[in-house]
Amino acid sequence: MSKSARRGRIFIDYLRNGRGATAVSAYSTRALPTASVSTPLAWDELSESIRADHFNVDNLRQRLAVLKEEPWPEFFTLKQRLP
């Protein structure tokens, strides 16, 4: 579960699928002094400089204004299964 143990792999927390479990949806504001915002990104936008608190209520509007396309264009139509 730790980041160091899953280097190069994506962790899917199947335990978040139960009653009372919580998850953060896209564009949710975190209850922190910095008011960071959960923001969808395209794979090619990822870099070492993008951290969990990179986008916040102060700079998210600027990010959305310069987007040329939706970062997750197939979000509502893509059907797939995980092996």
Side-chain angles (χ1 to χ4, degrees), residues 1-3 5-16 82:
M1 211 157 72
S2 72
K3 283 178 104 176
R6 59 185 162 98
R7 190 162 204 69
R9 300 185 335 207
I10 296 172
F11 176 69
I12 299 174
D13 189 353
Y14 66 92
L15 298 174
R16 296 260 182 214
L82 297 174

Side-chain angles (χ1 to χ4, degrees), residues 1-78:
M1 211 157 72
S2 72
K3 283 178 104 176
S4 61
R6 59 185 162 98
R7 190 162 204 69
R9 300 185 335 207
I10 296 172
F11 176 69
I12 299 174
D13 189 353
Y14 66 92
L15 298 174
R16 296 260 182 214
N17 224 5
R19 182 176 174 86
T22 59
V24 176
S25 65
Y27 302 112
S28 292
T29 305
R30 292 179 177 91
L32 298 170
T34 58
S36 56
V37 179
S38 168
T39 307
L41 299 172
W43 286 111
D44 63 353
E45 292 181 278
L46 294 177
S47 70
E48 293 291 325
S49 66
I50 301 287
R51 319 252 331 144
D53 61 352
H54 186 84
F55 295 106
N56 56 53
V57 295
D58 293 327
N59 67 10
L60 183 61
R61 187 173 301 214
Q62 180 183 1
R63 176 212 166 27
L64 295 175
V66 299
L67 276 181
K68 292 182 179 25
E69 62 184 29
E70 171 64 38
W72 296 350
E74 299 173 339
F75 182 79
F76 291 106
T77 58
L78 183 65

